[in-house]
Amino acid sequence: MENKKFYITTPIYYVNAKPHIGHAYTTIAADVLARFYRQQLGKENVFFLTGTDEHGAKIQKKAEEAGKSPQEFVDEISSEFKKLWAKDKLNIEYDNFIRTTDGTHIKAVQRVLQTLKDKGAIYKGEYEGLYCVGCEQFKNEDDLVNGKCPDHGTAPDLMKEESYMLKMTEIQAELLEKIEKEEFKVTPEKYKNKIVSFLKNQTLHDVSISRKNVSWGIPLPFDESHTTYVWVDAFLNYLTGLGWDGDENNLPEMWPVDINLIGKDILRVHATIWPAILIHLGIKLPKIIFTHGHILSDGKKMSKTLGNTISIDEMLEKFGTDGTRYLLLSAGPFGEDIDVTMERMVEKYNADLANGLGNLISRVIKLAEGYEFENKNEYDPLIWNKGFIEAFWMDKALERISDHLIRKSNKYITDNKPWELKKTDEAKFKEVMQKLISDLYLVSELFIPFMPETSEKIKKALETKKLDEVLFQRIK
Ligand code: MSP
């Protein structure tokens, strides 16, 4: 991707419940990508947007159950997300955190709706169909398993009501062409194929974009007895999060999105309704929609009933900020479903981080005390990471650092026994140490996007020849 700027987004998260490991996974991945592109393009040329999706029936219901006003409820949960992204927790360096209850977002959404209405893309109709409140989405019969939504295990409601509709059928051919030609790139390939075959085999029905009986939403500017369908409200965050006011002739400099990072559960809406809105408005589509898989626990979806939930707080407590970031991203190929268990994570933490990296640093720093070494590393860390990051192979990037640098360096120490050389052959000792130190400088640079604090600590230890703490204490 030869780009001068880079704009990446996460989905905005529903605030019906506190953040969990799945939300953390998407957000850490986006943060790693953003940090890498900042290294490559400069801070000012990168924009990383995340935030919370705060309207709709599901949240309204949860607030009622909690005995709180919707606003009070969403304020609380949204702040939980912010706290989890903070430096002392997951250390997510976003450029903006958008909330769909922000006044500026609401105004821009209303302006867009008015434009769509004026352009004839929205008309008043009636909708009849099955609706899953958990997904906040309409369902076809063939989306269901035994009559239930497979993601929520509940039967959808039958809805029949007056509704404003967004024209989808008329943009279908254009959308299909853009996806096939990869002007709007849906990736990995298997997801592109899924969407292409969906668009080839089914006629897109016009989409209901308003609700008469949901009060917790943005009122339609041309009919205040309806509120905006939560997905239409939500998609526009990718524009309003850049400070956009809803004028399609005046787009932010960062536009278009370079990467909309999403989970597979929300691919279909992102590859249909979202581009449809933009096509109607005459706005360029995102360049890439990247879909990652889900985190499973022991082969199954995490659920409270199954008791196989791993909480993100538990991970943070055990593995710390960088340990958690490392373990989630290295748990499996990004793009596939990945399976995590606490046992395997502890094993990996001990192998890669405590015995691997932590041990290496402490041995090298101890041996280097009292000597001067420079950074003679000749590899460009950006080039080293580039291929992997551009292909979204974060797990492979980490594996390569671990294998090619950390494990090899530890073996190099064992093979060369620098503590003996120090007494018997000082010239050789210096040569061995110089190689280790240079490789560790490279490690510290390569880890900048993945483990920013650790990377700084390694660099500082190399410069001062002092390490005041054990990096990654072994877990029993
Ligand atoms: N609010 C919508 C998104 C609107 S974007 C315009 C939404 N929110 S969500 O909170 O339910 O989920 C958002 C995202 O969280 C998912 O798409 C996915 O990226 C991530 N994950 C939620 N559960 C997950 C797992 N178990 N595993 C990995 N990621 C998952 O949908």
mmCIF file of all heavy atoms in Angstrom, residues 199-245:
data_model
loop_
_atom_site.group_PDB
_atom_site.id
_atom_site.type_symbol
_atom_site.label_atom_id
_atom_site.label_comp_id
_atom_site.label_asym_id
_atom_site.label_seq_id
_atom_site.Cartn_x
_atom_site.Cartn_y
_atom_site.Cartn_z
ATOM 1 N N LEU A 199 -24.169 -11.200 -3.129
ATOM 2 C CA LEU A 199 -24.686 -10.125 -4.002
ATOM 3 C C LEU A 199 -25.091 -10.640 -5.381
ATOM 4 O O LEU A 199 -25.914 -10.046 -6.066
ATOM 5 C CB LEU A 199 -23.652 -9.017 -4.152
ATOM 6 C CG LEU A 199 -23.431 -8.134 -2.921
ATOM 7 C CD1 LEU A 199 -22.279 -7.174 -3.141
ATOM 8 C CD2 LEU A 199 -24.706 -7.350 -2.577
ATOM 9 N N LYS A 200 -24.503 -11.759 -5.782
ATOM 10 C CA LYS A 200 -24.857 -12.322 -7.093
ATOM 11 C C LYS A 200 -26.150 -13.121 -7.037
ATOM 12 O O LYS A 200 -26.872 -13.202 -8.005
ATOM 13 C CB LYS A 200 -23.728 -13.220 -7.595
ATOM 14 C CG LYS A 200 -22.603 -12.420 -8.227
ATOM 15 C CD LYS A 200 -21.612 -13.337 -8.901
ATOM 16 C CE LYS A 200 -20.631 -12.510 -9.731
ATOM 17 N NZ LYS A 200 -19.391 -13.248 -9.968
ATOM 18 N N ASN A 201 -26.388 -13.734 -5.870
ATOM 19 C CA ASN A 201 -27.515 -14.670 -5.797
ATOM 20 C C ASN A 201 -28.784 -14.102 -5.187
ATOM 21 O O ASN A 201 -29.817 -14.749 -5.199
ATOM 22 C CB ASN A 201 -27.110 -15.921 -5.002
ATOM 23 C CG ASN A 201 -25.988 -16.652 -5.709
ATOM 24 O OD1 ASN A 201 -26.001 -16.723 -6.929
ATOM 25 N ND2 ASN A 201 -25.018 -17.138 -4.958
ATOM 26 N N GLN A 202 -28.683 -12.946 -4.572
ATOM 27 C CA GLN A 202 -29.885 -12.407 -3.928
ATOM 28 C C GLN A 202 -30.097 -10.963 -4.328
ATOM 29 O O GLN A 202 -29.122 -10.225 -4.493
ATOM 30 C CB GLN A 202 -29.721 -12.428 -2.407
ATOM 31 C CG GLN A 202 -29.539 -13.805 -1.853
ATOM 32 C CD GLN A 202 -29.896 -13.862 -0.378
ATOM 33 O OE1 GLN A 202 -30.688 -13.067 0.106
ATOM 34 N NE2 GLN A 202 -29.304 -14.804 0.327
ATOM 35 N N THR A 203 -31.337 -10.583 -4.414
ATOM 36 C CA THR A 203 -31.621 -9.182 -4.646
ATOM 37 C C THR A 203 -31.598 -8.486 -3.288
ATOM 38 O O THR A 203 -32.220 -8.953 -2.335
ATOM 39 C CB THR A 203 -33.023 -9.013 -5.259
ATOM 40 O OG1 THR A 203 -33.078 -9.844 -6.397
ATOM 41 C CG2 THR A 203 -33.300 -7.577 -5.640
ATOM 42 N N LEU A 204 -30.861 -7.426 -3.208
ATOM 43 C CA LEU A 204 -30.825 -6.683 -1.943
ATOM 44 C C LEU A 204 -32.157 -5.991 -1.735
ATOM 45 O O LEU A 204 -32.606 -5.223 -2.596
ATOM 46 C CB LEU A 204 -29.728 -5.622 -1.979
ATOM 47 C CG LEU A 204 -28.282 -6.047 -1.788
ATOM 48 C CD1 LEU A 204 -27.377 -4.820 -1.844
ATOM 49 C CD2 LEU A 204 -28.106 -6.758 -0.446
ATOM 50 N N HIS A 205 -32.771 -6.263 -0.599
ATOM 51 C CA HIS A 205 -34.028 -5.566 -0.311
ATOM 52 C C HIS A 205 -33.705 -4.189 0.223
ATOM 53 O O HIS A 205 -32.684 -3.998 0.890
ATOM 54 C CB HIS A 205 -34.826 -6.320 0.750
ATOM 55 C CG HIS A 205 -35.230 -7.682 0.293
ATOM 56 N ND1 HIS A 205 -36.077 -7.873 -0.765
ATOM 57 C CD2 HIS A 205 -34.899 -8.907 0.748
ATOM 58 C CE1 HIS A 205 -36.234 -9.175 -0.956
ATOM 59 N NE2 HIS A 205 -35.530 -9.820 -0.042
ATOM 60 N N ASP A 206 -34.587 -3.259 -0.035
ATOM 61 C CA ASP A 206 -34.401 -1.938 0.561
ATOM 62 C C ASP A 206 -34.408 -2.104 2.082
ATOM 63 O O ASP A 206 -35.070 -2.985 2.619
ATOM 64 C CB ASP A 206 -35.514 -0.995 0.090
ATOM 65 C CG ASP A 206 -35.374 -0.707 -1.413
ATOM 66 O OD1 ASP A 206 -34.318 -1.051 -1.986
ATOM 67 O OD2 ASP A 206 -36.314 -0.144 -2.007
ATOM 68 N N VAL A 207 -33.648 -1.248 2.747
ATOM 69 C CA VAL A 207 -33.450 -1.434 4.184
ATOM 70 C C VAL A 207 -34.255 -0.432 4.997
ATOM 71 O O VAL A 207 -34.273 0.770 4.672
ATOM 72 C CB VAL A 207 -31.958 -1.248 4.534
ATOM 73 C CG1 VAL A 207 -31.746 -1.222 6.026
ATOM 74 C CG2 VAL A 207 -31.139 -2.347 3.927
ATOM 75 N N SER A 208 -34.868 -0.937 6.042
ATOM 76 C CA SER A 208 -35.605 -0.054 6.933
ATOM 77 C C SER A 208 -34.598 0.748 7.764
ATOM 78 O O SER A 208 -33.733 0.179 8.415
ATOM 79 C CB SER A 208 -36.475 -0.935 7.838
ATOM 80 O OG SER A 208 -36.707 -0.284 9.051
ATOM 81 N N ILE A 209 -34.695 2.065 7.710
ATOM 82 C CA ILE A 209 -33.694 2.871 8.414
ATOM 83 C C ILE A 209 -34.294 3.733 9.532
ATOM 84 O O ILE A 209 -33.646 4.657 10.020
ATOM 85 C CB ILE A 209 -32.889 3.762 7.439
ATOM 86 C CG1 ILE A 209 -33.799 4.668 6.609
ATOM 87 C CG2 ILE A 209 -32.024 2.943 6.520
ATOM 88 C CD1 ILE A 209 -33.768 6.076 7.051
ATOM 89 N N SER A 210 -35.525 3.412 9.915
ATOM 90 C CA SER A 210 -36.093 4.171 11.040
ATOM 91 C C SER A 210 -36.976 3.294 11.905
ATOM 92 O O SER A 210 -37.420 2.230 11.485
ATOM 93 C CB SER A 210 -36.898 5.357 10.512
ATOM 94 O OG SER A 210 -38.134 4.899 9.995
ATOM 95 N N ARG A 211 -37.197 3.751 13.126
ATOM 96 C CA ARG A 211 -38.023 3.005 14.074
ATOM 97 C C ARG A 211 -39.055 3.937 14.694
ATOM 98 O O ARG A 211 -38.716 5.037 15.122
ATOM 99 C CB ARG A 211 -37.161 2.458 15.225
ATOM 100 C CG ARG A 211 -36.171 1.428 14.830
ATOM 101 C CD ARG A 211 -36.887 0.102 14.497
ATOM 102 N NE ARG A 211 -35.913 -0.863 14.017
ATOM 103 C CZ ARG A 211 -35.481 -0.923 12.760
ATOM 104 N NH1 ARG A 211 -35.944 -0.090 11.845
ATOM 105 N NH2 ARG A 211 -34.592 -1.828 12.405
ATOM 106 N N LYS A 212 -40.281 3.426 14.754
ATOM 107 C CA LYS A 212 -41.335 4.237 15.343
ATOM 108 C C LYS A 212 -41.418 4.027 16.852
ATOM 109 O O LYS A 212 -41.782 4.924 17.603
ATOM 110 C CB LYS A 212 -42.682 3.864 14.706
ATOM 111 C CG LYS A 212 -43.397 5.073 14.118
ATOM 112 C CD LYS A 212 -44.718 4.689 13.528
ATOM 113 C CE LYS A 212 -45.768 5.756 13.746
ATOM 114 N NZ LYS A 212 -45.384 7.120 13.461
ATOM 115 N N ASN A 213 -41.010 2.830 17.285
ATOM 116 C CA ASN A 213 -41.213 2.516 18.710
ATOM 117 C C ASN A 213 -39.922 2.472 19.530
ATOM 118 O O ASN A 213 -39.893 1.939 20.619
ATOM 119 C CB ASN A 213 -41.963 1.184 18.837
ATOM 120 C CG ASN A 213 -41.203 0.083 18.117
ATOM 121 O OD1 ASN A 213 -40.102 0.336 17.605
ATOM 122 N ND2 ASN A 213 -41.761 -1.106 18.077
ATOM 123 N N VAL A 214 -38.841 2.991 18.982
ATOM 124 C CA VAL A 214 -37.604 3.071 19.770
ATOM 125 C C VAL A 214 -37.324 4.547 20.012
ATOM 126 O O VAL A 214 -37.048 5.293 19.087
ATOM 127 C CB VAL A 214 -36.404 2.428 19.023
ATOM 128 C CG1 VAL A 214 -35.123 2.569 19.825
ATOM 129 C CG2 VAL A 214 -36.680 0.962 18.718
ATOM 130 N N SER A 215 -37.428 4.961 21.285
ATOM 131 C CA SER A 215 -37.255 6.399 21.516
ATOM 132 C C SER A 215 -35.781 6.771 21.674
ATOM 133 O O SER A 215 -35.388 7.902 21.427
ATOM 134 C CB SER A 215 -38.032 6.828 22.757
ATOM 135 O OG SER A 215 -37.577 6.053 23.842
ATOM 136 N N TRP A 216 -34.936 5.800 22.068
ATOM 137 C CA TRP A 216 -33.516 6.087 22.311
ATOM 138 C C TRP A 216 -32.725 6.045 20.998
ATOM 139 O O TRP A 216 -32.088 5.055 20.650
ATOM 140 C CB TRP A 216 -32.951 5.114 23.347
ATOM 141 C CG TRP A 216 -31.531 5.395 23.736
ATOM 142 C CD1 TRP A 216 -30.479 4.551 23.621
ATOM 143 C CD2 TRP A 216 -30.995 6.597 24.300
ATOM 144 N NE1 TRP A 216 -29.328 5.139 24.069
ATOM 145 C CE2 TRP A 216 -29.619 6.402 24.488
ATOM 146 C CE3 TRP A 216 -31.554 7.846 24.657
ATOM 147 C CZ2 TRP A 216 -28.776 7.384 25.023
ATOM 148 C CZ3 TRP A 216 -30.727 8.826 25.187
ATOM 149 C CH2 TRP A 216 -29.363 8.588 25.367
ATOM 150 N N GLY A 217 -32.849 7.125 20.249
ATOM 151 C CA GLY A 217 -32.175 7.200 18.965
ATOM 152 C C GLY A 217 -32.240 8.619 18.434
ATOM 153 O O GLY A 217 -32.813 9.507 19.080
ATOM 154 N N ILE A 218 -31.659 8.819 17.264
ATOM 155 C CA ILE A 218 -31.632 10.166 16.677
ATOM 156 C C ILE A 218 -32.909 10.395 15.869
ATOM 157 O O ILE A 218 -33.183 9.654 14.916
ATOM 158 C CB ILE A 218 -30.393 10.329 15.761
ATOM 159 C CG1 ILE A 218 -29.108 10.048 16.565
ATOM 160 C CG2 ILE A 218 -30.375 11.718 15.125
ATOM 161 C CD1 ILE A 218 -27.824 10.155 15.755
ATOM 162 N N PRO A 219 -33.708 11.402 16.233
ATOM 163 C CA PRO A 219 -34.946 11.643 15.487
ATOM 164 C C PRO A 219 -34.667 11.968 14.020
ATOM 165 O O PRO A 219 -33.691 12.658 13.717
ATOM 166 C CB PRO A 219 -35.549 12.876 16.179
ATOM 167 C CG PRO A 219 -34.847 12.977 17.491
ATOM 168 C CD PRO A 219 -33.503 12.353 17.324
ATOM 169 N N LEU A 220 -35.512 11.440 13.120
ATOM 170 C CA LEU A 220 -35.351 11.800 11.707
ATOM 171 C C LEU A 220 -35.671 13.278 11.557
ATOM 172 O O LEU A 220 -36.663 13.744 12.120
ATOM 173 C CB LEU A 220 -36.316 10.997 10.835
ATOM 174 C CG LEU A 220 -36.128 9.488 10.747
ATOM 175 C CD1 LEU A 220 -37.120 8.894 9.726
ATOM 176 C CD2 LEU A 220 -34.706 9.133 10.347
ATOM 177 N N PRO A 221 -34.886 14.022 10.806
ATOM 178 C CA PRO A 221 -35.127 15.466 10.709
ATOM 179 C C PRO A 221 -36.432 15.787 9.973
ATOM 180 O O PRO A 221 -37.041 16.814 10.214
ATOM 181 C CB PRO A 221 -33.909 15.978 9.921
ATOM 182 C CG PRO A 221 -33.344 14.798 9.224
ATOM 183 C CD PRO A 221 -33.666 13.610 10.068
ATOM 184 N N PHE A 222 -36.873 14.860 9.125
ATOM 185 C CA PHE A 222 -38.080 15.140 8.340
ATOM 186 C C PHE A 222 -39.320 14.442 8.906
ATOM 187 O O PHE A 222 -40.397 14.549 8.361
ATOM 188 C CB PHE A 222 -37.868 14.746 6.862
ATOM 189 C CG PHE A 222 -37.167 13.425 6.692
ATOM 190 C CD1 PHE A 222 -37.887 12.241 6.721
ATOM 191 C CD2 PHE A 222 -35.784 13.369 6.524
ATOM 192 C CE1 PHE A 222 -37.244 11.020 6.580
ATOM 193 C CE2 PHE A 222 -35.133 12.150 6.381
ATOM 194 C CZ PHE A 222 -35.861 10.967 6.413
ATOM 195 N N ASP A 223 -39.150 13.683 9.991
ATOM 196 C CA ASP A 223 -40.301 13.069 10.647
ATOM 197 C C ASP A 223 -39.887 12.648 12.063
ATOM 198 O O ASP A 223 -39.361 11.559 12.280
ATOM 199 C CB ASP A 223 -40.791 11.849 9.851
ATOM 200 C CG ASP A 223 -42.047 11.236 10.480
ATOM 201 O OD1 ASP A 223 -42.380 11.592 11.636
ATOM 202 O OD2 ASP A 223 -42.692 10.403 9.819
ATOM 203 N N GLU A 224 -40.156 13.554 13.007
ATOM 204 C CA GLU A 224 -39.629 13.332 14.360
ATOM 205 C C GLU A 224 -40.327 12.208 15.117
ATOM 206 O O GLU A 224 -39.937 11.875 16.231
ATOM 207 C CB GLU A 224 -39.653 14.641 15.153
ATOM 208 C CG GLU A 224 -38.766 15.687 14.488
ATOM 209 C CD GLU A 224 -37.885 16.446 15.461
ATOM 210 O OE1 GLU A 224 -38.298 16.575 16.631
ATOM 211 O OE2 GLU A 224 -36.808 16.900 15.047
ATOM 212 N N SER A 225 -41.352 11.617 14.493
ATOM 213 C CA SER A 225 -41.988 10.489 15.181
ATOM 214 C C SER A 225 -41.190 9.198 14.955
ATOM 215 O O SER A 225 -41.531 8.148 15.481
ATOM 216 C CB SER A 225 -43.434 10.315 14.721
ATOM 217 O OG SER A 225 -43.471 9.908 13.369
ATOM 218 N N HIS A 226 -40.122 9.289 14.177
ATOM 219 C CA HIS A 226 -39.252 8.127 13.961
ATOM 220 C C HIS A 226 -37.836 8.438 14.459
ATOM 221 O O HIS A 226 -37.370 9.566 14.342
ATOM 222 C CB HIS A 226 -39.107 7.835 12.450
ATOM 223 C CG HIS A 226 -40.309 7.224 11.831
ATOM 224 N ND1 HIS A 226 -40.312 5.953 11.320
ATOM 225 C CD2 HIS A 226 -41.557 7.710 11.610
ATOM 226 C CE1 HIS A 226 -41.504 5.678 10.819
ATOM 227 N NE2 HIS A 226 -42.284 6.735 10.984
ATOM 228 N N THR A 227 -37.158 7.399 14.960
ATOM 229 C CA THR A 227 -35.717 7.569 15.235
ATOM 230 C C THR A 227 -34.922 6.770 14.196
ATOM 231 O O THR A 227 -35.450 5.853 13.565
ATOM 232 C CB THR A 227 -35.329 7.066 16.641
ATOM 233 O OG1 THR A 227 -35.721 5.694 16.758
ATOM 234 C CG2 THR A 227 -35.948 7.899 17.734
ATOM 235 N N THR A 228 -33.663 7.142 14.070
ATOM 236 C CA THR A 228 -32.799 6.530 13.054
ATOM 237 C C THR A 228 -32.405 5.119 13.471
ATOM 238 O O THR A 228 -32.040 4.882 14.634
ATOM 239 C CB THR A 228 -31.514 7.369 12.907
ATOM 240 O OG1 THR A 228 -31.906 8.719 12.693
ATOM 241 C CG2 THR A 228 -30.646 6.891 11.765
ATOM 242 N N TYR A 229 -32.439 4.203 12.517
ATOM 243 C CA TYR A 229 -31.964 2.831 12.743
ATOM 244 C C TYR A 229 -30.519 2.906 13.220
ATOM 245 O O TYR A 229 -29.687 3.600 12.645
ATOM 246 C CB TYR A 229 -32.083 2.066 11.428
ATOM 247 C CG TYR A 229 -31.507 0.676 11.426
ATOM 248 C CD1 TYR A 229 -31.671 -0.183 12.509
ATOM 249 C CD2 TYR A 229 -30.824 0.203 10.306
ATOM 250 C CE1 TYR A 229 -31.139 -1.468 12.477
ATOM 251 C CE2 TYR A 229 -30.299 -1.080 10.268
ATOM 252 C CZ TYR A 229 -30.455 -1.905 11.362
ATOM 253 O OH TYR A 229 -29.930 -3.178 11.336
ATOM 254 N N VAL A 230 -30.215 2.166 14.290
ATOM 255 C CA VAL A 230 -28.932 2.325 14.977
ATOM 256 C C VAL A 230 -27.718 2.060 14.077
ATOM 257 O O VAL A 230 -26.675 2.700 14.225
ATOM 258 C CB VAL A 230 -28.889 1.465 16.274
ATOM 259 C CG1 VAL A 230 -29.045 0.000 15.985
ATOM 260 C CG2 VAL A 230 -27.623 1.717 17.061
ATOM 261 N N TRP A 231 -27.829 1.186 13.095
ATOM 262 C CA TRP A 231 -26.672 0.923 12.229
ATOM 263 C C TRP A 231 -26.351 2.114 11.319
ATOM 264 O O TRP A 231 -25.188 2.379 11.023
ATOM 265 C CB TRP A 231 -26.886 -0.350 11.394
ATOM 266 C CG TRP A 231 -26.483 -1.578 12.156
ATOM 267 C CD1 TRP A 231 -27.305 -2.428 12.839
ATOM 268 C CD2 TRP A 231 -25.146 -2.066 12.349
ATOM 269 N NE1 TRP A 231 -26.562 -3.422 13.435
ATOM 270 C CE2 TRP A 231 -25.237 -3.230 13.147
ATOM 271 C CE3 TRP A 231 -23.885 -1.651 11.925
ATOM 272 C CZ2 TRP A 231 -24.121 -3.979 13.528
ATOM 273 C CZ3 TRP A 231 -22.771 -2.387 12.309
ATOM 274 C CH2 TRP A 231 -22.897 -3.537 13.091
ATOM 275 N N VAL A 232 -27.384 2.807 10.859
ATOM 276 C CA VAL A 232 -27.136 3.974 9.994
ATOM 277 C C VAL A 232 -26.445 5.063 10.816
ATOM 278 O O VAL A 232 -25.444 5.660 10.395
ATOM 279 C CB VAL A 232 -28.466 4.489 9.393
ATOM 280 C CG1 VAL A 232 -28.259 5.809 8.657
ATOM 281 C CG2 VAL A 232 -29.066 3.438 8.464
ATOM 282 N N ASP A 233 -26.942 5.270 12.002
ATOM 283 C CA ASP A 233 -26.350 6.195 12.973
ATOM 284 C C ASP A 233 -24.883 5.799 13.203
ATOM 285 O O ASP A 233 -23.956 6.620 13.126
ATOM 286 C CB ASP A 233 -27.223 6.061 14.239
ATOM 287 C CG ASP A 233 -26.696 6.707 15.497
ATOM 288 O OD1 ASP A 233 -25.580 7.215 15.489
ATOM 289 O OD2 ASP A 233 -27.444 6.677 16.507
ATOM 290 N N ALA A 234 -24.657 4.486 13.417
ATOM 291 C CA ALA A 234 -23.315 4.000 13.771
ATOM 292 C C ALA A 234 -22.311 4.129 12.634
ATOM 293 O O ALA A 234 -21.185 4.587 12.833
ATOM 294 C CB ALA A 234 -23.400 2.545 14.218
ATOM 295 N N PHE A 235 -22.716 3.751 11.423
ATOM 296 C CA PHE A 235 -21.754 3.800 10.312
ATOM 297 C C PHE A 235 -21.190 5.199 10.111
ATOM 298 O O PHE A 235 -20.026 5.373 9.780
ATOM 299 C CB PHE A 235 -22.418 3.352 9.008
ATOM 300 C CG PHE A 235 -22.594 1.864 8.918
ATOM 301 C CD1 PHE A 235 -23.801 1.311 8.536
ATOM 302 C CD2 PHE A 235 -21.537 1.016 9.224
ATOM 303 C CE1 PHE A 235 -23.959 -0.061 8.463
ATOM 304 C CE2 PHE A 235 -21.680 -0.360 9.150
ATOM 305 C CZ PHE A 235 -22.905 -0.899 8.769
ATOM 306 N N LEU A 236 -22.042 6.180 10.320
ATOM 307 C CA LEU A 236 -21.584 7.551 10.042
ATOM 308 C C LEU A 236 -20.495 8.008 11.005
ATOM 309 O O LEU A 236 -19.815 8.994 10.759
ATOM 310 C CB LEU A 236 -22.773 8.509 10.012
ATOM 311 C CG LEU A 236 -23.691 8.259 8.804
ATOM 312 C CD1 LEU A 236 -24.980 9.037 8.933
ATOM 313 C CD2 LEU A 236 -23.000 8.608 7.485
ATOM 314 N N ASN A 237 -20.267 7.233 12.079
ATOM 315 C CA ASN A 237 -19.187 7.606 13.005
ATOM 316 C C ASN A 237 -17.847 7.632 12.291
ATOM 317 O O ASN A 237 -16.957 8.385 12.663
ATOM 318 C CB ASN A 237 -19.127 6.633 14.190
ATOM 319 C CG ASN A 237 -18.098 5.520 13.991
ATOM 320 O OD1 ASN A 237 -16.928 5.683 14.315
ATOM 321 N ND2 ASN A 237 -18.524 4.400 13.415
ATOM 322 N N TYR A 238 -17.701 6.773 11.260
ATOM 323 C CA TYR A 238 -16.416 6.714 10.568
ATOM 324 C C TYR A 238 -16.118 8.047 9.872
ATOM 325 O O TYR A 238 -14.971 8.339 9.559
ATOM 326 C CB TYR A 238 -16.427 5.578 9.544
ATOM 327 C CG TYR A 238 -16.595 4.179 10.119
ATOM 328 C CD1 TYR A 238 -17.417 3.238 9.495
ATOM 329 C CD2 TYR A 238 -15.917 3.785 11.273
ATOM 330 C CE1 TYR A 238 -17.567 1.943 10.004
ATOM 331 C CE2 TYR A 238 -16.060 2.497 11.792
ATOM 332 C CZ TYR A 238 -16.890 1.582 11.147
ATOM 333 O OH TYR A 238 -17.029 0.300 11.646
ATOM 334 N N LEU A 239 -17.159 8.824 9.625
ATOM 335 C CA LEU A 239 -16.965 10.171 9.068
ATOM 336 C C LEU A 239 -16.993 11.241 10.158
ATOM 337 O O LEU A 239 -16.119 12.111 10.211
ATOM 338 C CB LEU A 239 -18.073 10.462 8.043
ATOM 339 C CG LEU A 239 -17.827 9.918 6.631
ATOM 340 C CD1 LEU A 239 -19.135 9.637 5.927
ATOM 341 C CD2 LEU A 239 -16.985 10.887 5.816
ATOM 342 N N THR A 240 -17.983 11.160 11.036
ATOM 343 C CA THR A 240 -18.084 12.219 12.052
ATOM 344 C C THR A 240 -16.924 12.172 13.043
ATOM 345 O O THR A 240 -16.563 13.185 13.628
ATOM 346 C CB THR A 240 -19.414 12.136 12.842
ATOM 347 O OG1 THR A 240 -19.455 10.881 13.529
ATOM 348 C CG2 THR A 240 -20.628 12.254 11.943
ATOM 349 N N GLY A 241 -16.338 10.989 13.207
ATOM 350 C CA GLY A 241 -15.185 10.841 14.102
ATOM 351 C C GLY A 241 -13.988 11.659 13.644
ATOM 352 O O GLY A 241 -13.051 11.896 14.398
ATOM 353 N N LEU A 242 -14.019 12.096 12.390
ATOM 354 C CA LEU A 242 -12.951 12.972 11.868
ATOM 355 C C LEU A 242 -13.357 14.436 11.974
ATOM 356 O O LEU A 242 -12.676 15.313 11.446
ATOM 357 C CB LEU A 242 -12.681 12.651 10.392
ATOM 358 C CG LEU A 242 -12.065 11.295 10.058
ATOM 359 C CD1 LEU A 242 -12.041 11.090 8.547
ATOM 360 C CD2 LEU A 242 -10.650 11.199 10.616
ATOM 361 N N GLY A 243 -14.498 14.681 12.606
ATOM 362 C CA GLY A 243 -14.968 16.058 12.755
ATOM 363 C C GLY A 243 -15.887 16.496 11.620
ATOM 364 O O GLY A 243 -16.201 17.679 11.486
ATOM 365 N N TRP A 244 -16.348 15.567 10.819
ATOM 366 C CA TRP A 244 -17.188 15.887 9.658
ATOM 367 C C TRP A 244 -18.563 16.386 10.104
ATOM 368 O O TRP A 244 -19.144 15.851 11.048
ATOM 369 C CB TRP A 244 -17.347 14.624 8.813
ATOM 370 C CG TRP A 244 -18.051 14.791 7.504
ATOM 371 C CD1 TRP A 244 -17.687 15.604 6.475
ATOM 372 C CD2 TRP A 244 -19.226 14.092 7.065
ATOM 373 N NE1 TRP A 244 -18.548 15.440 5.421
ATOM 374 C CE2 TRP A 244 -19.499 14.526 5.752
ATOM 375 C CE3 TRP A 244 -20.057 13.132 7.645
ATOM 376 C CZ2 TRP A 244 -20.581 14.043 5.017
ATOM 377 C CZ3 TRP A 244 -21.125 12.655 6.912
ATOM 378 C CH2 TRP A 244 -21.397 13.108 5.609
ATOM 379 N N ASP A 245 -19.096 17.378 9.372
ATOM 380 C CA ASP A 245 -20.379 17.949 9.792
ATOM 381 C C ASP A 245 -21.565 17.464 8.948
ATOM 382 O O ASP A 245 -22.677 17.963 9.099
ATOM 383 C CB ASP A 245 -20.297 19.484 9.753
ATOM 384 C CG ASP A 245 -20.087 20.001 8.335
ATOM 385 O OD1 ASP A 245 -19.999 19.173 7.392
ATOM 386 O OD2 ASP A 245 -20.005 21.234 8.158
#
